[in-house]
Coordinates of all heavy atoms in Angstrom, one line a residue:
M69 N 85.9 103.9 97.7 CA 87.3 104.5 97.8 C 87.4 105.5 96.5 O 88.4 106.2 96.5 CB 88.3 103.4 97.6 CG 89.2 103.1 98.8 SD 89.9 104.7 99.4 CE 90.6 105.3 97.9
K70 N 86.5 105.5 95.6 CA 86.6 106.5 94.6 C 86.6 107.8 95.1 O 87.4 108.8 94.7 CB 85.3 106.3 93.6 CG 84.9 107.5 92.8 CD 85.9 107.7 91.7 CE 85.4 108.7 90.7 NZ 84.8 110.0 91.1
A78 N 79.9 108.9 106.2 CA 78.9 109.0 107.2 C 77.5 108.3 106.8 O 77.0 107.6 107.6 CB 78.6 110.5 107.5
G111 N 72.7 87.8 97.2 CA 71.6 88.6 96.5 C 72.0 89.5 95.5 O 71.4 90.7 95.3
V121 N 79.2 107.0 80.4 CA 79.7 108.1 79.6 C 79.5 107.8 78.2 O 80.0 106.8 77.6 CB 81.1 108.4 79.9 CG1 81.7 109.5 79.0 CG2 81.4 108.7 81.4
D125 N 85.5 114.8 75.5 CA 86.4 115.4 74.8 C 87.3 116.3 75.7 O 87.0 116.5 76.9 CB 86.1 116.1 73.5 CG 85.1 117.3 73.8 OD1 85.3 118.0 74.9 OD2 84.2 117.6 73.0
T131 N 78.9 113.7 78.1 CA 77.5 113.4 78.1 C 77.3 111.9 78.5 O 78.2 111.1 78.4 CB 77.0 113.6 76.6 OG1 77.6 112.7 75.7 CG2 77.2 115.1 76.2
H177 N 107.0 84.8 82.7 CA 108.5 85.1 82.6 C 108.9 85.9 83.8 O 108.1 86.6 84.5 CB 108.8 85.9 81.4 CG 108.4 85.1 80.1 ND1 109.3 84.6 79.3 CD2 107.2 85.0 79.5 CE1 108.8 84.0 78.4 NE2 107.5 84.3 78.3
I201 N 116.5 81.8 56.1 CA 116.7 81.6 54.6 C 118.2 81.6 54.4 O 118.8 82.6 54.9 CB 115.9 82.6 53.8 CG1 114.4 82.6 54.0 CG2 116.2 82.4 52.3 CD1 113.8 81.2 53.8
A253 N 116.0 83.3 70.1 CA 115.8 83.7 71.6 C 114.4 83.8 72.0 O 114.0 83.3 73.1 CB 116.5 85.1 71.8
D270 N 87.7 73.8 85.1 CA 88.5 74.4 86.1 C 88.8 75.9 85.9 O 88.4 76.4 84.8 CB 89.9 73.7 86.0 CG 89.9 72.3 86.7 OD1 88.8 71.9 87.2 OD2 90.9 71.6 86.6
G286 N 100.0 88.6 82.1 CA 98.6 88.9 81.9 C 98.0 90.1 82.5 O 96.8 90.3 82.5
D347 N 89.5 98.1 73.0 CA 88.9 98.1 71.7 C 87.5 98.7 71.9 O 87.3 99.4 72.9 CB 88.8 96.8 71.0 CG 88.1 95.7 71.9 OD1 87.3 96.1 72.7 OD2 88.4 94.5 71.7
K361 N 91.7 96.8 79.2 CA 90.5 96.2 79.8 C 90.8 95.8 81.2 O 92.0 95.4 81.5 CB 90.1 95.0 78.9 CG 89.6 95.4 77.5 CD 89.2 94.2 76.8 CE 88.7 94.5 75.3 NZ 88.4 93.3 74.5
L374 N 99.1 90.7 100.6 CA 99.5 92.2 100.8 C 99.5 92.5 102.4 O 99.1 91.8 103.2 CB 98.5 93.1 100.2 CG 97.0 92.8 100.5 CD1 96.5 93.6 101.9 CD2 96.1 93.3 99.5
N395 N 84.6 99.4 88.4 CA 84.2 99.2 87.0 C 85.3 99.8 86.1 O 85.5 100.9 86.3 CB 82.9 99.8 86.7 CG 82.3 99.4 85.3 OD1 83.0 99.6 84.3 ND2 81.1 98.9 85.4
D413 N 72.4 109.7 89.1 CA 71.8 111.0 88.8 C 72.0 112.1 89.9 O 72.1 113.3 89.5 CB 70.3 110.8 88.4 CG 70.1 110.0 87.2 OD1 71.1 110.0 86.3 OD2 69.0 109.4 87.1
L431 N 89.5 103.6 107.1 CA 88.7 104.8 106.8 C 89.2 106.0 107.8 O 88.7 107.2 107.6 CB 87.2 104.6 107.3 CG 86.5 103.5 106.5 CD1 85.1 103.3 107.0 CD2 86.5 104.0 105.0
K437 N 91.5 98.9 111.9 CA 90.2 98.2 111.5 C 90.0 98.6 110.0 O 90.1 99.8 109.6 CB 89.0 98.6 112.4 CG 89.3 98.3 113.8 CD 88.1 98.6 114.7 CE 87.9 100.1 114.8 NZ 89.1 100.8 115.5
D450 N 79.3 96.6 105.4 CA 79.3 95.8 106.6 C 80.0 96.5 107.8 O 81.1 97.1 107.6 CB 79.9 94.4 106.4 CG 79.6 93.4 107.5 OD1 79.0 93.8 108.5 OD2 80.0 92.3 107.4

Side-chain angles (χ1 to χ4, degrees):
M69 249 307 309
K70 161 68 166 57
V121 175
D125 63 31
T131 60
H177 299 260
I201 301 298
D270 283 359
D347 53 25
K361 297 179 180 180
L374 54 84
N395 186 305
D413 294 336
L431 299 176
K437 299 181 292 298
D450 194 353

